[in-house]
Structure formats: C-alpha cells, structure tokens
Amino acid sequence: VSSALGRVLVVGTGLVGTSVGLALRDRGVEVRLADLDPQALAVAAGLGAGVPARPGDEPASLAVVAVPPAVTGQVAVDLLTSGRARFVTDVASVKTAPAAVVAQAGAETAARYVGGHPMAGREVAGPRGARSDLFEGRPWVLCPSGSDPAAVDQATTLAILVGAMPLVMSPADHDAAVALVSHTPHVMSALVAARLVGAPDHEVRLAGPGIGDVTRIAAGDPALWTEILTANAAAVRDLLVRVRSDLDAAVAALDDAALGSTEALTDLLRVGVAGRGRLPGKHGAGHEDFVAVPVRLEDRPGQLARLFADIDAAGVNVEDLHIDHVPGRAVGVVAVSVRPEAEAPLLAALQARGWRVDD
Ligand SMILES: NC(=O)c1ccc[n+]([C@@H]2O[C@H](COP(=O)([O-])OP(=O)(O)OC[C@H]3O[C@@H](n4cnc5c(N)ncnc54)[C@H](O)[C@@H]3O)[C@@H](O)[C@H]2O)c1
C-alpha cells in the first residue's frame, strides 16, 4: 500500500480543486496551488488548501487538474510535457474527451496520466464553496487507458486519502454511466425547473420540499454544464430519446386514468419506486447489508491499483473501503465491503489472482 503522496500540485482552485487541497492538507500532504485567476488562487490559499506554486518549484509527484472539462486534456498535457509533475490525474466530469487529447501527446506521455472523476460536487462554483469532506465516502472513478500502474497507484492513493472509494472503469463505460446517473438527470431537473419561469406567483408560492429535491441540481453553473453535456452529448441524447417515449406513455396513461383505467399509471409509478430502490447508500440498501472482505497487501507501488483492477475484472462493485496498516510490518489490510451475494465470487476471483484473502 503506498499510503503516502509526495508533493501534490492542484491546478484549478475552484470548488473541486480547493476541496482536494483542503482534504489533502488535513492528511498532512504538501500541496501547491495554481489557477489562472489570481483571486481564486488567493482565496484557496487563504482557506488553507495549500500554498501558491512558484516558478522554481521542484516537480510535483502528482498533479490534479481541476479546471473546466473543455480545457482539462490540454492542461494535463502541458503539465506532463513541462516537467512540472511526474504523474497527472484530473477530476473532470467526462472522461473520453480529455483522454483523447492526452493520447495525442504520445503513448509515453499518456502513460503518466490517469483520468479521474470524484462523484461528489455542489451547485456552487469557486473556492468559497469548497469543503474538506466533499469526497468522504463517495466513489472516485479512475479511468486508466494506457496508464502506467504507478500512475494509477498515485491517483488511487489520492482518492483514498481524501476519503473517497476508488473504482476503475474504462472512459467509455464511465461516460455512459454518468449520462444515466448525472447528466440526463441534470437535463430533466432543468426542464422541471424551467416550467416555473413565467408561472404566476400564487402558484409558485405553494412549492414545497418535493420540487426543491427535483430541481436542486438545476441550480448548477450553466457554462460548466454546457461543457459537460456537449462532451457527452451522444450518450445523453440516446437516454433523452427514451425519456421522450416514456413521456408519451405517461400522457397516454393519464388519458386512460381520466377515463377510469388507472393500471398503466400505477405501473409507471411502480417502476419509479423500483428505480429509486436501486440507488446505493442511504437512499437504498443500508451499509449494514455489506460484507467486508479483508485483503492483505504488500507495501510496494502498484498494489492498490492492481487490486482495484482485479476487483473490477471480477465484476464486483465496491460499496465501502477501509485500510489498516499492520504496525511495524510492510503489509496492510484493505477491507473491501461488498453486497453479501458478491462475497463468494470476490473471494474466488481474488484468490485465483494470487491475493491473500484473510477469512
Ligand atoms: N462542481 C461539481 O459538482 C463537480 C463535481 C465533480 C467534478 N467536477 C469537475 O471538476 C472540474 C472543476 O469544476 P469546479 O466546479 O471546481 O469549477 P470552478 O469553476 O469552481 O473552478 C474551476 C477553476 O479552474 C480555473 N481555470 C480555468 N482554466 C484554467 C487553466 N487553463 N489553468 C488553470 N486554472 C484554470 C478557473 O479560474 C477556476 O478557478 C470540472 O472539470 C468539473 O467537470 C465538478
């Protein structure tokens, strides 16, 4: 387990970058900060997220690119080729587009990059909204594509140090998944909220927490979301086409209900209940439903990355994670929490790949 990071350079000290800096400082990691906007840099430094980078700085062991998605790939390439950082990861909400930009810089450069996406955020932009516990217990997706295992190990360590749960996916799988759980919901939320514009005051005044829940994410920054939706347009578009036919079915179900036949309407609502039940964490199944599988790790680079890749190859979803170091010995124990039905397949898969699984 490489539980320590050398110096980290955070480029882009907005909401996410500053939150990364704050969380790393809490864990005693040395953090340097950079931003095109001197104001954002000063605020982040003032909050204690790290100290501003200086021209003569030694190269960082890891740079975290936390700038808008459209410029993420280019900023990563600049860092990799300028020698300012040995390894580079990022936090952009889309993964195929930045990976393609980095790949154009050549395989040797791309090997020192691994894309990342913390599944945590807020509707406010800028460093003032940053929180050191933003990533606590949240998934942090890593998307190696041609990445050196040491790069994946650094990004994995970063995710764990800030309290997140790293998991490995291909860039394409990541983009399809976030189209379903984040990008399409954002469009739906914006459409519901848009109905309120121009509605008479006496109607809007009756709004309660329900519409507040449904429209919370619609408050996100339109410029950032335009970039995100543009970079993942194909996947979101396909889902919206399916939602469009669901809307037609809902209209027909209401017409039927008005005529006394409510079956289709109730069915539609039941499917909604079932879909919500699939949400992990506190929305659906409780953590008490998980089983912890303890895996022994040798203390050398690349171990965590290899473990996560093997868990991923086994098709098992990590629900929670905990790392214990064995005092005075160069080993650690990673407790990987999974759903009960995944315990046996995970044990078998890890043993087959040579892991020491304590039971
Ligand atoms: N906001 C969220 O909820 C959320 C969640 C997960 C991931 N992300 C991703 O995190 C990244 C940052 O989002 P944010 O919400 O922190 O945005 P933000 O607007 O709060 O911060 C972005 C910062 O990047 C700086 N910047 C822009 N171009 C730069 C460049 N070329 N070099 C250096 N600095 C530059 C800006 O000055 C700004 O301070 C985005 O890629 C976004 O997709 C956001």
PDB file of all heavy atoms in Angstrom, residues 11-12 14-16 35-37 40 66-69 71 75 91-93 117-118 120-122 125-126 224, ligand 1:
ATOM      1  N   VAL A  11      -4.087  22.128  -9.910  1.00  0.00           N
ATOM      2  CA  VAL A  11      -4.232  23.176 -10.923  1.00  0.00           C
ATOM      3  C   VAL A  11      -5.720  23.429 -11.149  1.00  0.00           C
ATOM      4  O   VAL A  11      -6.443  22.538 -11.608  1.00  0.00           O
ATOM      5  CB  VAL A  11      -3.538  22.784 -12.240  1.00  0.00           C
ATOM      6  CG1 VAL A  11      -3.718  23.888 -13.283  1.00  0.00           C
ATOM      7  CG2 VAL A  11      -2.061  22.518 -11.999  1.00  0.00           C
ATOM      8  N   GLY A  12      -6.172  24.622 -10.813  1.00  0.00           N
ATOM      9  CA  GLY A  12      -7.603  24.950 -10.836  1.00  0.00           C
ATOM     10  C   GLY A  12      -8.108  24.907  -9.406  1.00  0.00           C
ATOM     11  O   GLY A  12      -8.405  23.838  -8.888  1.00  0.00           O
ATOM     12  N   GLY A  14     -10.873  25.973  -7.939  1.00  0.00           N
ATOM     13  CA  GLY A  14     -12.296  26.262  -7.791  1.00  0.00           C
ATOM     14  C   GLY A  14     -12.871  25.371  -6.702  1.00  0.00           C
ATOM     15  O   GLY A  14     -12.172  24.975  -5.769  1.00  0.00           O
ATOM     16  N   LEU A  15     -14.129  25.037  -6.864  1.00  0.00           N
ATOM     17  CA  LEU A  15     -14.813  24.215  -5.859  1.00  0.00           C
ATOM     18  C   LEU A  15     -14.098  22.884  -5.613  1.00  0.00           C
ATOM     19  O   LEU A  15     -13.787  22.525  -4.476  1.00  0.00           O
ATOM     20  CB  LEU A  15     -16.250  23.939  -6.330  1.00  0.00           C
ATOM     21  CG  LEU A  15     -17.003  22.920  -5.474  1.00  0.00           C
ATOM     22  CD1 LEU A  15     -17.465  23.566  -4.184  1.00  0.00           C
ATOM     23  CD2 LEU A  15     -18.173  22.315  -6.232  1.00  0.00           C
ATOM     24  N   VAL A  16     -13.836  22.155  -6.699  1.00  0.00           N
ATOM     25  CA  VAL A  16     -13.307  20.802  -6.541  1.00  0.00           C
ATOM     26  C   VAL A  16     -11.817  20.818  -6.182  1.00  0.00           C
ATOM     27  O   VAL A  16     -11.382  20.137  -5.249  1.00  0.00           O
ATOM     28  CB  VAL A  16     -13.560  19.960  -7.817  1.00  0.00           C
ATOM     29  CG1 VAL A  16     -12.939  18.574  -7.689  1.00  0.00           C
ATOM     30  CG2 VAL A  16     -15.060  19.837  -8.079  1.00  0.00           C
ATOM     31  N   ASP A  35      -3.781  28.604 -10.401  1.00  0.00           N
ATOM     32  CA  ASP A  35      -5.037  28.942 -11.076  1.00  0.00           C
ATOM     33  C   ASP A  35      -4.769  30.140 -11.967  1.00  0.00           C
ATOM     34  O   ASP A  35      -3.952  30.992 -11.628  1.00  0.00           O
ATOM     35  CB  ASP A  35      -6.137  29.253 -10.044  1.00  0.00           C
ATOM     36  CG  ASP A  35      -7.527  29.199 -10.670  1.00  0.00           C
ATOM     37  OD1 ASP A  35      -7.815  30.031 -11.554  1.00  0.00           O
ATOM     38  OD2 ASP A  35      -8.324  28.323 -10.290  1.00  0.00           O
ATOM     39  N   LEU A  36      -5.439  30.204 -13.119  1.00  0.00           N
ATOM     40  CA  LEU A  36      -5.305  31.369 -14.000  1.00  0.00           C
ATOM     41  C   LEU A  36      -5.850  32.619 -13.323  1.00  0.00           C
ATOM     42  O   LEU A  36      -5.414  33.727 -13.615  1.00  0.00           O
ATOM     43  CB  LEU A  36      -6.105  31.134 -15.293  1.00  0.00           C
ATOM     44  CG  LEU A  36      -5.507  30.253 -16.378  1.00  0.00           C
ATOM     45  CD1 LEU A  36      -6.428  30.260 -17.595  1.00  0.00           C
ATOM     46  CD2 LEU A  36      -4.119  30.747 -16.758  1.00  0.00           C
ATOM     47  N   ASP A  37      -6.813  32.445 -12.444  1.00  0.00           N
ATOM     48  CA  ASP A  37      -7.483  33.550 -11.770  1.00  0.00           C
ATOM     49  C   ASP A  37      -6.809  33.793 -10.416  1.00  0.00           C
ATOM     50  O   ASP A  37      -6.955  32.987  -9.501  1.00  0.00           O
ATOM     51  CB  ASP A  37      -8.964  33.172 -11.609  1.00  0.00           C
ATOM     52  CG  ASP A  37      -9.736  34.190 -10.777  1.00  0.00           C
ATOM     53  OD1 ASP A  37      -9.150  35.225 -10.407  1.00  0.00           O
ATOM     54  OD2 ASP A  37     -10.924  33.930 -10.505  1.00  0.00           O
ATOM     55  N   ALA A  40      -9.061  33.518  -7.311  1.00  0.00           N
ATOM     56  CA  ALA A  40      -9.418  32.157  -6.879  1.00  0.00           C
ATOM     57  C   ALA A  40      -8.234  31.517  -6.153  1.00  0.00           C
ATOM     58  O   ALA A  40      -8.405  30.821  -5.139  1.00  0.00           O
ATOM     59  CB  ALA A  40      -9.818  31.306  -8.094  1.00  0.00           C
ATOM     60  N   ALA A  66      -8.009  20.386 -12.029  1.00  0.00           N
ATOM     61  CA  ALA A  66      -9.404  20.625 -11.618  1.00  0.00           C
ATOM     62  C   ALA A  66      -9.927  21.887 -12.297  1.00  0.00           C
ATOM     63  O   ALA A  66     -10.414  22.802 -11.647  1.00  0.00           O
ATOM     64  CB  ALA A  66      -9.485  20.725 -10.096  1.00  0.00           C
ATOM     65  N   VAL A  67      -9.780  21.922 -13.617  1.00  0.00           N
ATOM     66  CA  VAL A  67     -10.220  23.053 -14.432  1.00  0.00           C
ATOM     67  C   VAL A  67     -11.445  22.610 -15.242  1.00  0.00           C
ATOM     68  O   VAL A  67     -11.781  21.425 -15.258  1.00  0.00           O
ATOM     69  CB  VAL A  67      -9.082  23.519 -15.373  1.00  0.00           C
ATOM     70  CG1 VAL A  67      -7.842  23.898 -14.570  1.00  0.00           C
ATOM     71  CG2 VAL A  67      -8.733  22.459 -16.398  1.00  0.00           C
ATOM     72  N   PRO A  68     -12.143  23.520 -15.930  1.00  0.00           N
ATOM     73  CA  PRO A  68     -13.321  23.116 -16.713  1.00  0.00           C
ATOM     74  C   PRO A  68     -13.001  21.987 -17.707  1.00  0.00           C
ATOM     75  O   PRO A  68     -11.875  21.916 -18.231  1.00  0.00           O
ATOM     76  CB  PRO A  68     -13.730  24.406 -17.420  1.00  0.00           C
ATOM     77  CG  PRO A  68     -13.254  25.499 -16.507  1.00  0.00           C
ATOM     78  CD  PRO A  68     -11.954  24.990 -15.945  1.00  0.00           C
ATOM     79  N   PRO A  69     -14.000  21.122 -17.973  1.00  0.00           N
ATOM     80  CA  PRO A  69     -13.767  19.920 -18.793  1.00  0.00           C
ATOM     81  C   PRO A  69     -13.131  20.200 -20.158  1.00  0.00           C
ATOM     82  O   PRO A  69     -12.245  19.457 -20.579  1.00  0.00           O
ATOM     83  CB  PRO A  69     -15.168  19.327 -18.972  1.00  0.00           C
ATOM     84  CG  PRO A  69     -15.974  19.879 -17.859  1.00  0.00           C
ATOM     85  CD  PRO A  69     -15.373  21.193 -17.467  1.00  0.00           C
ATOM     86  N   VAL A  71     -10.958  22.265 -21.188  1.00  0.00           N
ATOM     87  CA  VAL A  71      -9.521  22.543 -21.219  1.00  0.00           C
ATOM     88  C   VAL A  71      -8.706  21.529 -20.418  1.00  0.00           C
ATOM     89  O   VAL A  71      -7.478  21.616 -20.364  1.00  0.00           O
ATOM     90  CB  VAL A  71      -9.195  23.979 -20.727  1.00  0.00           C
ATOM     91  CG1 VAL A  71      -9.727  25.007 -21.723  1.00  0.00           C
ATOM     92  CG2 VAL A  71      -9.749  24.249 -19.341  1.00  0.00           C
ATOM     93  N   VAL A  75      -4.511  21.084 -20.384  1.00  0.00           N
ATOM     94  CA  VAL A  75      -3.783  21.435 -19.163  1.00  0.00           C
ATOM     95  C   VAL A  75      -2.977  20.221 -18.680  1.00  0.00           C
ATOM     96  O   VAL A  75      -1.821  20.346 -18.256  1.00  0.00           O
ATOM     97  CB  VAL A  75      -4.751  21.958 -18.075  1.00  0.00           C
ATOM     98  CG1 VAL A  75      -4.050  22.105 -16.731  1.00  0.00           C
ATOM     99  CG2 VAL A  75      -5.354  23.304 -18.500  1.00  0.00           C
ATOM    100  N   VAL A  91     -10.116  15.672 -12.559  1.00  0.00           N
ATOM    101  CA  VAL A  91     -11.393  15.437 -11.874  1.00  0.00           C
ATOM    102  C   VAL A  91     -12.575  15.734 -12.791  1.00  0.00           C
ATOM    103  O   VAL A  91     -13.705  15.838 -12.325  1.00  0.00           O
ATOM    104  CB  VAL A  91     -11.508  16.313 -10.597  1.00  0.00           C
ATOM    105  CG1 VAL A  91     -10.412  15.967  -9.600  1.00  0.00           C
ATOM    106  CG2 VAL A  91     -11.462  17.805 -10.935  1.00  0.00           C
ATOM    107  N   ALA A  92     -12.320  15.895 -14.087  1.00  0.00           N
ATOM    108  CA  ALA A  92     -13.381  16.341 -14.992  1.00  0.00           C
ATOM    109  C   ALA A  92     -14.525  15.329 -15.056  1.00  0.00           C
ATOM    110  O   ALA A  92     -14.313  14.124 -14.980  1.00  0.00           O
ATOM    111  CB  ALA A  92     -12.820  16.592 -16.387  1.00  0.00           C
ATOM    112  N   SER A  93     -15.727  15.862 -15.257  1.00  0.00           N
ATOM    113  CA  SER A  93     -16.940  15.038 -15.210  1.00  0.00           C
ATOM    114  C   SER A  93     -17.139  14.164 -16.449  1.00  0.00           C
ATOM    115  O   SER A  93     -18.084  13.382 -16.496  1.00  0.00           O
ATOM    116  CB  SER A  93     -18.157  15.947 -15.045  1.00  0.00           C
ATOM    117  OG  SER A  93     -17.938  16.858 -14.005  1.00  0.00           O
ATOM    118  N   HIS A 117     -12.577  10.945 -11.749  1.00  0.00           N
ATOM    119  CA  HIS A 117     -13.797  11.723 -11.555  1.00  0.00           C
ATOM    120  C   HIS A 117     -14.395  11.418 -10.188  1.00  0.00           C
ATOM    121  O   HIS A 117     -14.988  10.365 -10.001  1.00  0.00           O
ATOM    122  CB  HIS A 117     -14.823  11.420 -12.654  1.00  0.00           C
ATOM    123  CG  HIS A 117     -16.102  12.199 -12.498  1.00  0.00           C
ATOM    124  ND1 HIS A 117     -17.301  11.774 -13.026  1.00  0.00           N
ATOM    125  CD2 HIS A 117     -16.381  13.368 -11.855  1.00  0.00           C
ATOM    126  CE1 HIS A 117     -18.250  12.654 -12.728  1.00  0.00           C
ATOM    127  NE2 HIS A 117     -17.713  13.619 -12.015  1.00  0.00           N
ATOM    128  N   PRO A 118     -14.231  12.363  -9.241  1.00  0.00           N
ATOM    129  CA  PRO A 118     -14.892  12.173  -7.944  1.00  0.00           C
ATOM    130  C   PRO A 118     -16.400  12.365  -8.110  1.00  0.00           C
ATOM    131  O   PRO A 118     -16.820  13.375  -8.683  1.00  0.00           O
ATOM    132  CB  PRO A 118     -14.290  13.281  -7.070  1.00  0.00           C
ATOM    133  CG  PRO A 118     -13.789  14.318  -8.015  1.00  0.00           C
ATOM    134  CD  PRO A 118     -13.497  13.639  -9.322  1.00  0.00           C
ATOM    135  N   ALA A 120     -18.763  13.530  -6.533  1.00  0.00           N
ATOM    136  CA  ALA A 120     -19.188  14.413  -5.454  1.00  0.00           C
ATOM    137  C   ALA A 120     -19.123  15.824  -5.976  1.00  0.00           C
ATOM    138  O   ALA A 120     -18.263  16.141  -6.792  1.00  0.00           O
ATOM    139  CB  ALA A 120     -18.251  14.285  -4.260  1.00  0.00           C
ATOM    140  N   GLY A 121     -20.005  16.663  -5.541  1.00  0.00           N
ATOM    141  CA  GLY A 121     -19.950  18.043  -6.002  1.00  0.00           C
ATOM    142  C   GLY A 121     -20.990  18.872  -5.293  1.00  0.00           C
ATOM    143  O   GLY A 121     -21.674  18.410  -4.379  1.00  0.00           O
ATOM    144  N   ARG A 122     -21.043  20.124  -5.718  1.00  0.00           N
ATOM    145  CA  ARG A 122     -22.029  21.040  -5.168  1.00  0.00           C
ATOM    146  C   ARG A 122     -22.496  21.935  -6.298  1.00  0.00           C
ATOM    147  O   ARG A 122     -21.890  21.966  -7.355  1.00  0.00           O
ATOM    148  CB  ARG A 122     -21.404  21.905  -4.059  1.00  0.00           C
ATOM    149  CG  ARG A 122     -20.882  21.089  -2.895  1.00  0.00           C
ATOM    150  CD  ARG A 122     -20.490  21.988  -1.742  1.00  0.00           C
ATOM    151  NE  ARG A 122     -21.675  22.655  -1.197  1.00  0.00           N
ATOM    152  CZ  ARG A 122     -21.612  23.727  -0.392  1.00  0.00           C
ATOM    153  NH1 ARG A 122     -20.458  24.258  -0.080  1.00  0.00           N
ATOM    154  NH2 ARG A 122     -22.721  24.262   0.077  1.00  0.00           N
ATOM    155  N   ALA A 125     -20.019  27.221  -7.611  1.00  0.00           N
ATOM    156  CA  ALA A 125     -18.667  27.191  -8.173  1.00  0.00           C
ATOM    157  C   ALA A 125     -17.745  28.037  -7.301  1.00  0.00           C
ATOM    158  O   ALA A 125     -18.204  28.801  -6.460  1.00  0.00           O
ATOM    159  CB  ALA A 125     -18.689  27.727  -9.602  1.00  0.00           C
ATOM    160  N   GLY A 126     -16.445  27.854  -7.498  1.00  0.00           N
ATOM    161  CA  GLY A 126     -15.459  28.696  -6.819  1.00  0.00           C
ATOM    162  C   GLY A 126     -14.997  28.131  -5.491  1.00  0.00           C
ATOM    163  O   GLY A 126     -15.666  27.297  -4.894  1.00  0.00           O
ATOM    164  N   LEU A 224     -20.552  25.489 -17.073  1.00  0.00           N
ATOM    165  CA  LEU A 224     -19.930  24.184 -16.794  1.00  0.00           C
ATOM    166  C   LEU A 224     -20.774  23.050 -17.373  1.00  0.00           C
ATOM    167  O   LEU A 224     -20.263  22.147 -18.032  1.00  0.00           O
ATOM    168  CB  LEU A 224     -19.754  24.001 -15.273  1.00  0.00           C
ATOM    169  CG  LEU A 224     -19.308  22.619 -14.805  1.00  0.00           C
ATOM    170  CD1 LEU A 224     -17.921  22.280 -15.347  1.00  0.00           C
ATOM    171  CD2 LEU A 224     -19.304  22.531 -13.273  1.00  0.00           C
TER     172      LEU A 224
HETATM  173  N1  LIG B   1     -18.857  21.148  -9.489  1.00  0.00           N
HETATM  174  C1  LIG B   1     -19.067  19.872  -9.295  1.00  0.00           C
HETATM  175  O1  LIG B   1     -20.008  19.484  -8.621  1.00  0.00           O
HETATM  176  C2  LIG B   1     -18.101  18.876  -9.881  1.00  0.00           C
HETATM  177  C3  LIG B   1     -18.116  17.547  -9.422  1.00  0.00           C
HETATM  178  C4  LIG B   1     -17.175  16.640  -9.923  1.00  0.00           C
HETATM  179  C5  LIG B   1     -16.266  17.045 -10.894  1.00  0.00           C
HETATM  180  N2  LIG B   1     -16.292  18.345 -11.351  1.00  0.00           N
HETATM  181  C6  LIG B   1     -15.285  18.743 -12.341  1.00  0.00           C
HETATM  182  O2  LIG B   1     -14.308  19.496 -11.663  1.00  0.00           O
HETATM  183  C7  LIG B   1     -13.727  20.442 -12.549  1.00  0.00           C
HETATM  184  C8  LIG B   1     -13.722  21.806 -11.876  1.00  0.00           C
HETATM  185  O3  LIG B   1     -15.053  22.136 -11.532  1.00  0.00           O
HETATM  186  P1  LIG B   1     -15.367  23.199 -10.377  1.00  0.00           P
HETATM  187  O4  LIG B   1     -16.792  23.018 -10.019  1.00  0.00           O
HETATM  188  O5  LIG B   1     -14.324  23.125  -9.324  1.00  0.00           O
HETATM  189  O6  LIG B   1     -15.225  24.566 -11.209  1.00  0.00           O
HETATM  190  P2  LIG B   1     -14.849  26.035 -10.673  1.00  0.00           P
HETATM  191  O7  LIG B   1     -15.397  26.970 -11.679  1.00  0.00           O
HETATM  192  O8  LIG B   1     -15.247  26.194  -9.249  1.00  0.00           O
HETATM  193  O9  LIG B   1     -13.237  26.049 -10.747  1.00  0.00           O
HETATM  194  C9  LIG B   1     -12.513  25.935 -11.940  1.00  0.00           C
HETATM  195  C10 LIG B   1     -11.228  26.759 -11.765  1.00  0.00           C
HETATM  196  O10 LIG B   1     -10.350  26.481 -12.857  1.00  0.00           O
HETATM  197  C11 LIG B   1      -9.669  27.693 -13.189  1.00  0.00           C
HETATM  198  N3  LIG B   1      -9.129  27.574 -14.529  1.00  0.00           N
HETATM  199  C12 LIG B   1      -9.780  27.573 -15.713  1.00  0.00           C
HETATM  200  N4  LIG B   1      -8.941  27.342 -16.729  1.00  0.00           N
HETATM  201  C13 LIG B   1      -7.711  27.174 -16.177  1.00  0.00           C
HETATM  202  C14 LIG B   1      -6.414  26.889 -16.713  1.00  0.00           C
HETATM  203  N5  LIG B   1      -6.236  26.734 -18.031  1.00  0.00           N
HETATM  204  N6  LIG B   1      -5.376  26.793 -15.845  1.00  0.00           N
HETATM  205  C15 LIG B   1      -5.533  26.963 -14.514  1.00  0.00           C
HETATM  206  N7  LIG B   1      -6.762  27.227 -13.956  1.00  0.00           N
HETATM  207  C16 LIG B   1      -7.816  27.323 -14.787  1.00  0.00           C
HETATM  208  C17 LIG B   1     -10.718  28.754 -13.032  1.00  0.00           C
HETATM  209  O11 LIG B   1     -10.113  30.043 -12.842  1.00  0.00           O
HETATM  210  C18 LIG B   1     -11.454  28.267 -11.768  1.00  0.00           C
HETATM  211  O12 LIG B   1     -10.911  28.827 -10.576  1.00  0.00           O
HETATM  212  C19 LIG B   1     -14.537  20.383 -13.843  1.00  0.00           C
HETATM  213  O13 LIG B   1     -13.805  19.656 -14.807  1.00  0.00           O
HETATM  214  C20 LIG B   1     -15.793  19.643 -13.453  1.00  0.00           C
HETATM  215  O14 LIG B   1     -16.292  18.873 -14.530  1.00  0.00           O
HETATM  216  C21 LIG B   1     -17.168  19.260 -10.850  1.00  0.00           C
END
